């Protein structure tokens, strides 16, 4: 951006020119001081003071004289601003800044005050801080080559030899220490007004959009880990909330973001956002049907352009970031519609994976649009009623609770029938710990961190598959004990011996995994359903479900005590086998929704999420493999030499 090629400017002449420029600026704006110029001087002080003063001594005499001059101008400009309720506080802080610089205070203290004063200045005297729309970075690269490369080098890091003689030489945009302290707004200001006393000319002749584009491009050169930043941005809703709009992004420095999320993550996120500022605009609509539509359109455009991986990522984002957060609420109002939308979005992703004709995807996109129009009506506030809210809260907890209850009750009944009362605390400890972990997850997800759509699906998938594997083993063992002779042999071998510590902890782990998976899913549903205005109705639905679950648990335990032991094991084995098949389907389905596994849809088959049945080759295949493993295990377990799982070994 340095376009003026000249010999080194003598420091004294440079200071005179700078003072003259500033005086002209102040005179021209005497009636309405330029807040932007004042802000830019504060930004310059915050960044460059460290090169002027080191450990209480002047490191560069000329730079230090600049800092003194700039702080004086800042104080005069702030004092000349129109009176507001904040004006006197700004004047006091500007005087404090002058004193700190005069006393050669540490750079960290001066920089912190300069940045705080700049932020307060813009709060008191607002000026436009951001472009009206996301800058065009493709155009920015062309502009940089035309206007800036001759001084900064094509890559922004290697100024030509003729430029090195300038004092100061053109900025190296790959200097990460300097770039960490620069906001896009600060760069925009320099591009607009030039930099007095240097060869950096004003580019006010460029359009506002072009200047913003150059600012974002120049501010992105020092940061390279764009892919990591994109992954963090897509997965962490908390970070997206920290940068909700372009104004925040334009004013944000990597250093200030690092104070909130850590340096490595902040630099990666800034690399992505400055190279892709349009991502911030999308974040405003995340968790909305508008976001789903927009992202699907972009996915389809990328697919037509031959960028299949980009199309796949966008299609996945449309589901995970757009629809999935609304899924739970829609399920309580129109479960059938929720399943239709989810399946259609899955088919769209599958079409991209299989290389479908773009016209086919366009037809599917049109069908999704009609489904989303229906979903808008179902999700509208007026569509909610007290009855639907109560039933939603009631059925969610009842449905998720029954799955966990069946396994835990079977475990408790088994322990009691085996007269192994000493391990009951492990079973109870497992499900109680899972509920406490569920509460902790809710607190973390609500107040501290955000659980991304992909993370939610992965957690559900891992929990479901892990529980399915364990239940297959337990079901096979229980089926083997469904014969009276086998049970008598087991009792004779184990009677009088306590279960091993490892086996007791196995029961703890099984209870924990099964209950936490259901608790985690319930938390997600309630988070989507929660509304302060209807909190009483939601709590009533939840408490009603808890009461019914307690009644079911009491009835199951009472009935299991009356069952002959062989029938108990036979029924329990069948029940656990069914649950294992259901969880196998749910686990694979969750991995497909997270984009980890591909999905090959089978036309004409229904989607029965409660049974873990999804119309894809992969989920049905997983359920068939689980069923075959159970059938084979049941046959082997009927023999005296059948397998004995660790869960019940002494």
């Amino acid at each position: 951006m340095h376009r003026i090629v000249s010999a080194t400017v003598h420091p004294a002449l440079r200071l005179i020119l700078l003072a003259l420029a500033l005086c002209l600026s102040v005179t021209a704006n005497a009636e309405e001081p330029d807040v932007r110029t004042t802000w830019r001087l504060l930004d310059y002080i915050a960044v460059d003071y460290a090169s002027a003063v080191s450990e209480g001594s002047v490191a560069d005499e000329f730079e230090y004289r600049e800092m003194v001059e700039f702080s004086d101008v800042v104080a005069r400009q702030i004092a000349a601003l129109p009176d507001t309720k904040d004006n006197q506080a700004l004047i006091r802080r500007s005087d404090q800044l002058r004193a700190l610089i005069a006393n050669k205070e540490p750079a960290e203290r001066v920089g912190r005050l300069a940045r705080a004063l700049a932020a307060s200045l813009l709060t008191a005297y607002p000026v436009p801080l951001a472009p009206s729309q996301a800058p065009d970075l493709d155009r920015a690269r062309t502009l940089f080559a035309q206007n800036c490369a001759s001084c900064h080098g094509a890559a922004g890091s290697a100024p030509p030899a003729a430029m090195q003689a300038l004092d100061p030489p053109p900025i190296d945009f790959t200097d990460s220490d300097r770039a960490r302290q620069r906001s896009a707004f600060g760069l925009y200001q320099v591009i607009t007004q030039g930099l007095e006393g240097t060869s950096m000319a004003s580019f006010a002749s460029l359009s506002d959009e072009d200047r913003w584009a150059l600012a974002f491009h120049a501010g992105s050169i020092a940061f390279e880990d764009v892919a990591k930043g994109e992954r963090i941005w897509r997965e962490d809703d908390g970070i997206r909330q920290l940068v909700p709009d372009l104004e925040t992004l334009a004013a944000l420095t990597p250093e200030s973001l690092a104070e909130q999320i850590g340096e490595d993550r902040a630099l990666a996120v800034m690399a992505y956002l400055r190279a892709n500022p349009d991502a911030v605009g999308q974040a405003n609509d995340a968790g909305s049907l508008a976001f789903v539509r927009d992202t699907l359109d972009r996915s389809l455009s990328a697919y037509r352009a031959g960028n299949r991986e980009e199309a796949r990522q966008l299609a996945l984002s449309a589901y995970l970031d757009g629809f999935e957060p609304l899924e739970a609420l829609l399920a309580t109002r129109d479960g059938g519609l929720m399943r239709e939308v989810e399946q259609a979005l899955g088919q769209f992703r599958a079409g991209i994976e299989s290389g479908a004709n773009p016209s086919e995807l366009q037809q599917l996109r049109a069908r999704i649009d009609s489904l989303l129009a229906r979903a808008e009506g179902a999700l509208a506030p007026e569509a909610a009623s007290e009855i639907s809210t109560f039933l939603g809260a009631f059925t969610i907890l009842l449905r998720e609770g029954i799955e966990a209850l069946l396994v835990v009750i079977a475990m408790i009944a088994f322990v009691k029938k085996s007269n192994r009362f000493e391990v009951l605390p492990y079973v109870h400890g497992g499900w109680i710990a899972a509920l406490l972990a569920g509460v902790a997850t809710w607190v973390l997800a609500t107040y501290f961190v955000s659980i991304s759509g992909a993370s939610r699906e992965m957690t559900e998938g891992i929990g479901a598959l892990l529980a399915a594997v364990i239940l297959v083993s337990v079901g096979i063992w229980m089926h083997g004990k469904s014969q009276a002779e086998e049970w008598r042999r087991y009792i004779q071998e184990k009677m009088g011996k306590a279960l091993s510590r490892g086996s007791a902890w196995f029961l703890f782990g099984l209870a924990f995994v099964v209950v936490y998976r259901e608790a985690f899913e319930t938390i997600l549903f309630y988070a989507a359903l929660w509304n302060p205005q209807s909190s009483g109705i939601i709590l009533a639905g939840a408490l009603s479900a808890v009461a019914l679950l307690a009644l079911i648990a009491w009835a199951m335990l009472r009935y299991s005590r009356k069952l002959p032991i062989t029938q108990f094991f036979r029924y329990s084995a069948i029940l656990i086998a069914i649950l294992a098949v259901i969880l196998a389907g749910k686990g694979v389905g969750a991995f497909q929704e997270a984009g980890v596994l591909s999905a090959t849809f089978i036309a004409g088959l229904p989607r029965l999420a409660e049974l873990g049945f999804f119309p894809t080759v992969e989920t049905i295949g997983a359920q068939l493999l689980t069923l075959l493993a159970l059938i084979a295990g049941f046959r082997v377990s009927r023999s005296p030499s059948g397998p004995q799982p660790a869960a019940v070994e002494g």
Side-chain angles (χ1 to χ4, degrees):
M1 280 163 244
H2 291 70
R3 288 204 313 199
I4 301 175
V5 180
S6 63
T8 302
V9 179
H10 189 278
L13 178 58
R14 181 179 166 204
L15 190 59
I16 292 171
L17 292 172
L18 174 63
L20 179 61
L22 288 171
C23 287
L24 289 173
S25 174
V26 173
T27 302
N29 296 283
E31 295 181 1
E32 187 177 352
D34 190 345
V35 173
R36 288 186 178 87
T37 298
T38 308
W39 186 96
R40 184 165 58 86
L41 291 175
L42 287 167
D43 183 63
Y44 192 84
I45 291 171
V47 175
D48 279 21
Y49 179 80
S51 63
V53 174
S54 177
E55 297 181 355
S57 300
V58 174
D60 185 313
E61 181 64 33
F62 179 74
E63 288 286 348
Y64 178 67
R65 290 165 67 189
E66 271 192 338
M67 295 297 110
V68 173
E69 178 67 18
F70 286 177
S71 64
D72 287 342
V73 173
V74 165
R76 290 199 302 272
Q77 297 240 98
I78 288 178
L81 289 169
D83 285 336
T84 68
K85 62 182 180 63
D86 301 314
N87 188 249
Q88 291 305 310
L90 292 173
I91 291 173
R92 286 194 298 272
R93 296 175 84 175
S94 65
D95 289 340
Q96 183 184 1
L97 179 64
R98 279 200 298 186
L100 291 180
I101 293 174
N103 294 332
K104 305 176 185 65
E105 295 290 340
E108 182 180 351
R109 188 177 178 191
V110 171
R112 185 165 58 247
L113 178 57
R115 280 189 286 271
L117 180 55
S120 299
L121 177 67
L122 293 181
T123 301
Y125 301 94
V127 296
L129 289 180
S132 57
Q133 59 186 14
D136 184 346
L137 272 293
D138 289 333
R139 175 161 175 75
R141 284 183 278 273
T142 301
L143 290 168
F144 192 90
Q146 292 172 347
N147 299 283
C148 314
S150 60
C151 292
H152 296 280
S157 61
M163 298 295 103
Q164 295 287 2
L166 295 178
D167 181 21
I171 289 173
D172 176 1
F173 286 116
T174 63
D175 182 351
S176 59
D177 289 338
R178 187 182 185 88
R180 289 175 74 257
Q181 303 177 65
R182 280 288 188 204
S183 67
F185 178 66
L187 291 166
Y188 167 82
Q189 290 286 75
V190 172
I191 293 167
T192 300
Q193 299 184 8
L195 194 59
E196 300 87 347
T198 76
S199 58
M200 176 62 196
S202 166
F203 281 76
S205 59
L206 293 176
S207 69
D208 192 62
E209 291 79 7
D210 286 349
R211 280 177 276 140
W212 274 114
L214 275 173
F216 272 84
H217 175 66
S220 70
I221 292 174
F223 310 113
E224 299 178 347
D225 206 346
V226 175
K228 178 181 177 181
E230 180 178 11
R231 186 170 62 253
I232 295 171
W233 178 255
R234 290 187 183 280
E235 293 181 355
D236 195 329
D237 184 57
I239 292 178
R240 295 199 297 271
Q241 291 176 11
L242 289 176
V243 193
D245 48 42
L246 279 172
E247 184 170 321
T248 303
L249 176 61
L252 190 65
T253 65
E255 186 173 64
S256 61
L257 183 61
E259 294 172 357
Q260 302 179 73
I261 65 173
E263 180 147 336
D264 289 345
R265 285 159 60 82
L267 297 185
V269 168
M270 290 303 283
Y272 172 64
L273 292 182
R274 286 190 176 174
N276 301 273
D278 57 323
V280 172
Q282 299 161 18
N284 290 331
D285 292 328
S288 74
L289 299 182
F291 179 88
V292 177
R293 290 190 178 96
D294 178 67
T295 310
L296 285 178
D297 287 339
R298 293 169 57 226
S299 173
L300 190 55
S301 296
Y303 187 77
R304 284 173 170 157
N307 301 322
R308 186 182 293 186
E309 179 57 27
E310 180 183 353
R312 190 185 76 85
Q313 289 293 336
L314 287 168
L316 189 61
S317 176
Y319 170 69
L320 291 177
D321 301 324
F323 182 69
E324 207 262 359
L326 305 172
E327 196 174 80
L329 181 58
L330 183 58
T332 65
R333 298 188 182 178
D334 192 336
L337 177 58
M338 183 277 292
R339 289 188 286 273
E340 282 189 75
V341 177
E342 189 177 55
Q343 185 165 336
L345 290 171
Q347 290 172 339
F348 189 91
R349 298 195 302 273
I352 292 173
E353 294 280 359
S354 63
N357 190 294
S359 61
E360 295 178 23
L361 287 182
Q362 178 62 55
Q363 291 176 357
L364 186 54
R365 169 69 185 86
R367 177 171 173 264
I368 293 173
D369 208 43
S370 65
L371 292 173
L372 294 179
R374 290 169 54 198
E376 279 180 332
L379 291 171
E382 58 271 18
S385 66
E386 292 187 356
I387 294 177
S388 66
T389 301
F390 176 88
L391 291 177
F394 177 80
T395 55
I396 286 167
L397 186 54
L398 184 64
R399 184 186 66 207
E400 303 301 330
I402 283 179
E403 282 190 30
L405 189 65
L406 293 176
V407 177
V408 173
I409 293 300
M411 293 168 63
I412 293 173
F414 155 69
V415 168
K416 288 183 175 180
K417 281 187 174 292
S418 305
N419 293 316
R420 303 295 182 176
F421 295 97
E422 71 276 8
V423 297
L424 266 179
Y426 287 87
V427 179
H428 290 305
W431 68 263
I432 292 172
L435 292 179
L436 293 176
V439 172
T441 301
W442 174 77
V443 171
L444 288 172
T446 303
Y447 298 104
F448 298 101
V449 299
S450 176
I451 302 173
S452 70
S455 298
R456 289 193 289 264
E457 298 295 346
M458 288 294 291
T459 300
E460 291 182 22
I462 291 171
L465 290 181
L466 181 59
V469 170
I470 296 172
L471 290 178
V472 167
S473 174
V474 173
I476 290 172
W477 179 84
M478 281 191 165
H479 186 265
K481 296 295 173 287
S482 62
Q483 299 179 80
E485 183 59 33
E486 284 299 312
W487 176 248
R488 282 194 294 272
R489 183 182 296 111
Y490 172 76
I491 291 298
Q492 289 172 0
E493 290 175 358
K494 304 301 180 183
M495 188 62 70
K497 295 196 301 182
L499 290 173
S500 70
R501 181 174 296 274
S503 299
W505 280 110
F506 178 89
L507 294 175
F508 175 94
L510 176 58
F512 180 88
V513 168
V514 171
V515 174
Y516 179 72
R517 182 200 172 278
E518 305 304 334
F520 181 83
E521 194 167 352
T522 302
I523 288 166
L524 301 182
F525 276 106
Y526 271 85
L529 188 64
W530 188 260
N531 184 321
Q533 284 72 40
S534 55
S535 58
I537 299 171
I538 294 171
L539 289 174
L543 291 174
S544 299
V546 168
L548 183 54
L549 286 171
L551 182 62
I552 292 172
W554 174 81
M556 290 177 66
L557 284 172
R558 184 178 180 84
Y559 181 67
S560 65
R561 285 200 299 267
K562 296 180 178 181
L563 271 180
I565 192 64
T566 55
Q567 289 186 28
F568 167 77
F569 273 102
R570 185 179 300 118
Y571 296 153
S572 296
I574 293 172
L575 177 62
I576 286 175
I578 293 171
L579 285 175
V581 172
I582 291 173
L583 289 174
K586 286 187 173 183
V588 172
F591 280 123
Q592 288 177 322
E593 290 176 352
V596 175
L597 293 178
S598 61
T600 307
F601 282 86
I602 303 174
L605 292 181
R607 182 183 186 277
L608 305 172
E610 289 76 11
L611 299 179
F613 185 85
F614 304 92
T616 69
V617 171
E618 294 80 5
T619 52
I620 294 174
Q623 290 188 312
L624 287 175
L625 285 175
T626 304
L627 185 59
L628 289 174
L630 286 163
I631 292 172
F634 281 7
R635 288 184 176 179
V636 173
S637 68
R638 298 296 291 268
S639 66
S641 59
Q644 303 293 321
V648 293
E649 283 298 325

